[in-house]
Amino acid sequence: MLDKLIDKIKTYNENADFDLIRKAYDLAKEKHAGQKRRSGEDYIIHPLNVSLILADMNMDTATIIAGLLHDVVEDTDVTLDEIKEEFGEEIADLVDGVTKLKKLNYKNKEEKQAENIRKMVLAMAKDIRVIIVKLADRLHNMRTLEYMTDEKKKEKATETVEIYAPLADRLGMSRIKWELEDLSLRYLDEEGYYKLVEMVNKRRNERESLINHIIEVLYESLNKVGIECEIKGRPKNFYSIYKKMKLKGKVFDEIYDLSAVRILTHSVNDCYGALGVVHTLFKPIPGRFKDYIAMPKPNKYQSLHTTVIDNNGETFEVQIRTYEMHQTAEYGIAAHWKYKAGVTKTTSFDENLTWLRQLLEWQKDLADPTDFMDTLKIDFFADEVFVFSPKGDVINLPEGSTPIDFAYRIHSQVGNTCVGAKVNGRIVPLNYKLQSGNIVDIITNPNTSPSLDWLKIVKSPQARKKISQYFKVKDKEKNIERGRDALEREVKKQGYQTHLILKDEWLEEVKEKLNMLTLDDMYAAIGFGTITINQVLAKLVDIYNKHNKKEITSPEEVTPTKRKYNTNGIEVKGVDGVNVRIAKCCTPVPGDDIVGYITIGRGISVHRKDCTNMGNNVDPSRLVEVKWQNNELASYNASIEIRAFDKPNVIGDIATRVNDQKLNITYLNAKTTKNGDAVIDITVDISDSEELNKLMEKLKRINNVLEVYRIKA
């Protein structure tokens, strides 16, 4: 396979550094020795295949080597410094960009995914080749996904179709995008995939006969007018057919572009000349012509698309583009790498990557992983509509966007003063869904302001954020007052005297720690809900305790009132007469390793040791040793999350299994995710972790259940 890789690279770059490529292969083979893939093959097969995919895209030496080494830092004892020393900083940066984050505490899989994607986005901004290596890595993993568990197949296929295929599309790499989508569909809807393959194959001979006839007719007519060209049948990827059938409710026979031909010419003039010939020979279907040459897509895709009908009533699509446009359409940004005398030269990608710079700016403001992933999927990777400003500027927006989304994309002030809109010269309501090709004209009034109801109308996270920001600023005075009052009330509630703890110098110190510019900003953030009172009060208490040279040891120091103490079956080492409560974030039960944390005014909170809220940010001086008391009559709440296919009776089956174990459900909540799965959260009364584990094993065996795990936080 190494010889095959070398031979492949020689076809387009004879001056590549083959000694360095062999050196990288030797290191990868040595370090991955003994590691196996799920298929049983030696692990080195994977990086070799990744590099072959990169060579198919004619990538440069550094990218090929990064493909060979992309897993050594993540999966072996090799360090980035060693990579830098042996192969240089450029290759080390590429390897670092595709290496997943690890050894960090994440609340859930979604947060881990978000932070890894965020790291990749930052690396892409420095060197776009990072994502090209990552796409090659994902493509080979998807080609061999059959060896994974069913749960992993679905998880990886979902992530691929939501993140990586759209990324390939943004970069114009349609060949990679199509294969990723088709491979994902096979695992997301196996029955639908094979049914579709069967329908396509049934009409294959009939379709091939039609395509061959069309090609023959077109060649003859184009030669007559002196247009040199190459004409081929164009395969339609299964996922795009599937999407049209599922999302748009079309039947198989209504897919117009199932049969398609592609004409490649030498010049733009020949493209339009060929279009004239096509429309002379066949009748164009109204509304089915798109000129992406005059108006390229944001990923620089250029082509003429027209759907026509022949004399027998057969419809088919014709795409017309130059050879250069075809290279860009197939390989996107990867097609920009050119070679001459062994030197890699690249053209400027700046205008190609406007969306990446925009995403880079957004990710700075989106600290919450859920917000980040929503913005990524909705504002950047969702299907798009392309609309025009009155001056002819092209604006791309997420599908389903409204005139309000358009207004905020133009400028915040245009959005804030929007009172109406015209589309193609006609007044439309503000919740009107924009269509590609619409000319949008926003009507403004400087004396008006946004409505909170707009948050229910807009589609783009960008517009939603700007509307929220407007109301934060507008209501700042109210929020300042609300925040100050709330903090004072909580201080009194916890048993402190306000004049002893709400000192200006201490509040200033807290403000700095929370990265606020002024105290008013901090109060406003409390009032709006951006930060919590507990975040502020916890820091004030720390300062108070340090100033008074004592550590809090029990709630009596804060709330001296006498009361009856509840221990919840837990013994606290060295402390008596104190309330003990089970933390709701991780709901520990007997058998779990636990730790106590002294709270302000609410006694000791008991957490599981692996609870994410017991991470690096807690004050170690407040941790106390706790252990379970022997109490056979005690029961405890334990929270479980179940992910399943959204099928009838799945909740009933879950309830039956709980009842079979003679347990009581105290809480149940079910919702459906965007990809159609059901997520069911339940809380049950349990005596210990052994009883809980038995229940979880039974739940895992239910038909249509994908995974079962305890909720940590």
Side-chain angles (χ1 to χ4, degrees):
M1 281 186 73
L2 178 62
D3 291 339
K4 183 180 176 184
L5 175 63
I6 298 293
D7 290 342
K8 178 69 182 174
I9 296 168
K10 284 179 179 176
T11 63
Y12 66 88
N13 184 17
E14 291 183 356
N15 299 303
D17 191 340
F18 295 109
D19 289 339
L20 200 62
I21 290 171
R22 287 189 180 93
K23 181 181 176 182
Y25 166 76
D26 290 339
L27 176 65
K29 187 176 181 183
E30 177 195 341
K31 292 300 179 179
H32 288 303
Q35 294 179 357
K36 298 283 186 182
R37 303 202 84 216
R38 289 290 182 96
S39 62
E41 296 174 311
D42 289 337
Y43 195 88
I44 190 63
I45 295 295
H46 171 62
L48 268 170
N49 271 288
V50 170
S51 296
L52 277 166
I53 292 169
L54 294 168
D56 281 336
M57 291 187 272
N58 293 6
M59 294 306 297
D60 60 313
T61 301
T63 312
I64 299 290
I65 291 174
L68 286 167
L69 300 176
H70 76 275
D71 273 339
V72 292
V73 174
E74 191 174 324
D75 295 336
T76 76
D77 60 0
V78 176
T79 66
L80 270 176
D81 287 338
E82 289 170 336
I83 297 288
K84 188 183 293 185
E85 187 177 335
E86 293 292 324
F87 299 95
E89 190 170 351
E90 179 186 14
I91 290 169
D93 284 346
L94 288 173
V95 172
D96 184 35
V98 293
T99 301
K100 291 176 186 170
L101 297 167
K102 57 182 179 179
K103 296 177 183 174
L104 292 174
N105 292 319
Y106 296 106
K107 291 181 182 176
N108 48 46
K109 288 182 182 178
E110 288 74 16
E111 182 175 331
K112 184 177 181 181
Q113 179 199 43
E115 293 312 309
N116 277 311
I117 297 292
R118 192 192 297 272
K119 182 194 174 190
M120 189 175 67
V121 167
L122 293 169
M124 282 164 59
K126 288 171 63 179
D127 192 330
I128 198 65
R129 290 174 296 176
V130 165
I131 190 56
I132 296 175
V133 176
K134 191 65 184 176
L135 287 171
D137 171 45
R138 179 53 61 112
L139 180 56
H140 184 249
N141 280 331
M142 291 303 295
R143 286 174 178 174
T144 54
L145 198 62
E146 62 193 277
Y147 299 103
M148 303 296 282
T149 63
D150 288 343
E151 179 188 340
K152 273 290 179 187
K153 286 176 188 175
K154 193 170 179 66
E155 181 186 315
K156 292 294 180 188
T158 301
E159 185 181 56
T160 298
V161 89
E162 287 184 349
I163 303 295
Y164 290 99
L167 258 176
D169 185 45
R170 280 284 188 170
L171 295 167
M173 302 167 73
S174 59
R175 181 177 289 192
I176 303 292
K177 169 186 178 274
W178 291 340
E179 188 174 354
L180 287 174
E181 287 178 337
D182 285 353
L183 289 167
S184 299
L185 178 58
R186 181 179 164 191
Y187 301 105
L188 291 173
D189 185 355
E190 188 175 0
E191 184 182 343
Y193 172 79
Y194 285 110
K195 188 176 179 181
L196 183 57
V197 170
E198 185 184 352
M199 286 191 288
V200 170
N201 286 337
K202 273 183 182 177
R203 292 184 53 182
R204 185 180 297 280
N205 292 337
E206 172 191 337
R207 207 168 59 254
E208 285 179 355
S209 174
L210 170 67
I211 293 298
N212 290 335
H213 170 68
I214 292 165
I215 290 173
E216 192 179 318
V217 171
L218 284 171
Y219 260 132
E220 185 181 340
S221 299
L222 290 168
N223 280 332
K224 280 182 183 177
V225 297
I227 295 177
E228 289 185 21
C229 63
E230 186 181 334
I231 308 175
K232 295 179 179 178
R234 184 185 71 82
K236 186 72 177 172
N237 77 311
F238 292 119
Y239 186 76
S240 64
I241 300 171
Y242 177 87
K243 245 170 71 167
K244 286 180 181 177
M245 292 173 68
K246 281 279 183 182
L247 301 182
K248 298 185 179 178
K250 293 189 175 184
V251 296
F252 184 70
D253 291 331
E254 290 180 314
I255 309 296
Y256 285 137
D257 49 1
L258 193 61
S259 300
V261 295
R262 181 177 291 138
I263 302 172
L264 302 181
T265 73
H266 293 285
S267 69
V268 172
N269 284 342
D270 283 347
C271 287
Y272 286 103
L275 177 67
V277 172
V278 171
H279 284 177
T280 302
L281 292 170
F282 308 104
K283 192 173 184 178
I285 295 177
R288 298 285 302 172
F289 169 67
K290 295 184 181 72
D291 186 345
Y292 293 121
I293 292 179
M295 192 180 75
K297 289 185 178 182
N299 62 11
K300 300 305 168 190
Y301 174 87
Q302 287 184 288
S303 189
L304 298 174
H305 290 197
T306 183
T307 304
V308 296
I309 187 166
D310 69 5
N311 293 331
N312 297 317
E314 292 284 351
T315 58
F316 58 93
E317 185 187 56
V318 181
Q319 293 183 354
I320 309 166
R321 62 179 73 142
T322 65
Y323 287 97
E324 189 178 349
M325 290 173 189
H326 182 60
Q327 275 293 102
T328 301
E330 292 282 289
Y331 296 109
I333 206 156
H336 287 267
W337 265 261
K338 304 292 179 188
Y339 301 91
K340 189 176 182 183
V343 179
T344 304
K345 291 187 176 182
T346 63
T347 57
S348 171
F349 310 131
D350 282 355
E351 58 183 28
N352 230 43
L353 299 175
T354 306
W355 64 272
L356 180 54
R357 291 199 305 275
Q358 196 178 7
L359 179 56
L360 203 60
E361 288 301 313
W362 274 101
Q363 71 85 26
K364 293 176 187 174
D365 299 328
L366 299 169
D368 183 82
T370 304
D371 288 346
F372 175 70
M373 292 304 289
D374 284 348
T375 299
L376 196 69
K377 293 173 186 176
I378 298 170
D379 215 27
F380 290 94
F381 293 159
D383 288 338
E384 294 178 304
V385 292
F386 301 91
V387 297
F388 295 95
S389 72
K391 292 181 179 179
D393 296 323
V394 181
I395 307 293
N396 57 304
L397 294 163
E399 192 172 48
S401 289
T402 66
I404 302 172
D405 292 283
F406 177 89
Y408 278 105
R409 183 60 61 85
I410 298 300
H411 195 278
S412 298
Q413 194 57 26
V414 175
N416 289 341
T417 57
C418 172
V419 291
K422 290 181 182 178
V423 171
N424 301 335
R426 298 178 61 185
I427 296 284
V428 297
L430 289 177
N431 62 355
Y432 173 85
K433 285 186 170 55
L434 298 173
Q435 308 294 320
S436 285
N438 285 162
I439 300 171
V440 186
D441 188 5
I442 300 298
I443 304 166
T444 61
N445 182 338
N447 298 317
T448 191
S449 59
S451 163
L452 276 171
D453 290 337
W454 288 4
L455 291 171
K456 301 172 188 174
I457 298 171
V458 294
K459 181 71 175 177
S460 62
Q462 182 184 19
R464 191 171 290 111
K465 185 175 179 65
K466 287 183 177 179
I467 294 166
S468 296
Q469 282 176 336
Y470 173 85
F471 283 102
K472 274 188 190 178
V473 174
K474 179 192 171 191
D475 297 335
K476 186 172 182 179
E477 290 303 320
K478 290 181 183 176
N479 286 327
I480 290 170
E481 188 177 341
R482 193 180 295 130
R484 188 185 286 113
D485 289 347
L487 182 59
E488 287 182 3
R489 279 199 306 274
E490 188 65 21
V491 164
K492 290 174 183 176
K493 183 180 173 183
Q494 297 295 347
Y496 289 95
Q497 292 181 307
T498 55
H499 71 282
L500 292 179
I501 195 166
L502 294 180
K503 295 184 176 182
D504 289 345
E505 62 270 26
W506 293 357
L507 288 168
E508 286 288 341
E509 191 176 333
V510 172
K511 175 206 77 176
E512 295 294 330
K513 289 181 178 179
L514 292 170
N515 297 316
M516 296 289 171
L517 292 175
T518 67
L519 281 179
D520 280 351
D521 287 341
M522 185 177 77
Y523 290 132
I526 297 171
F528 193 78
T530 309
I531 60 173
T532 65
I533 294 174
N534 287 338
Q535 283 176 280
V536 177
L537 189 55
K539 288 176 172 56
L540 278 171
V541 169
D542 285 341
I543 298 169
Y544 175 86
N545 288 332
K546 287 173 186 174
H547 187 266
N548 288 283
K549 296 181 180 179
K550 64 175 184 176
E551 297 292 332
I552 184 166
T553 57
S554 71
E556 285 84 348
E557 295 184 28
V558 181
T559 49
T561 53
K562 292 182 179 180
R563 56 178 178 261
K564 196 174 181 180
Y565 298 106
N566 174 26
T567 65
N568 271 309
I570 292 169
E571 182 182 324
V572 183
K573 186 175 180 181
V575 179
D576 291 318
V578 59
N579 264 340
V580 177
R581 63 189 183 89
I582 302 294
K584 291 182 180 178
C585 55
C586 56
T587 56
V589 298
D592 290 334
D593 290 332
I594 53 175
V595 64
Y597 189 73
I598 299 171
T599 64
I600 307 300
R602 290 181 294 167
I604 291 172
S605 176
V606 176
H607 297 256
R608 281 159 50 192
K609 280 189 176 177
D610 63 353
C611 177
T612 53
N613 286 334
M614 292 291 101
N616 297 327
N617 294 326
V618 301
D619 181 354
S621 66
R622 294 193 189 184
L623 296 175
V624 292
E625 190 178 327
V626 293
K627 66 179 182 180
W628 297 104
Q629 295 173 335
N630 292 325
N631 187 349
E632 294 180 1
L633 298 176
S635 66
Y636 302 85
N637 285 335
S639 298
I640 304 170
E641 185 157 291
I642 303 147
R643 287 181 177 262
F645 291 118
D646 191 12
K647 302 288 185 182
N649 299 324
V650 71
I651 293 178
D653 291 341
I654 290 168
T656 300
R657 291 297 168 95
V658 177
N659 191 49
D660 287 346
Q661 206 167 321
K662 296 183 170 57
L663 298 173
N664 180 41
I665 296 177
T666 59
Y667 171 83
L668 187 149
N669 181 56
K671 62 183 178 182
T672 305
T673 64
K674 291 177 184 176
N675 62 9
D677 290 347
V679 178
I680 303 105
D681 291 340
I682 64 170
T683 301
V684 291
D685 280 339
I686 217 87
S687 61
D688 55 33
S689 59
E690 185 180 347
E691 190 173 44
L692 179 62
N693 290 334
K694 282 181 185 176
L695 172 63
M696 290 172 67
E697 286 304 314
K698 286 185 178 182
L699 294 175
K700 286 176 185 176
R701 292 196 288 270
I702 297 174
N703 285 340
N704 297 312
V705 166
L706 298 171
E707 56 183 343
V708 179
Y709 49 87
R710 282 183 75 178
I711 297 173
K712 285 190 179 180

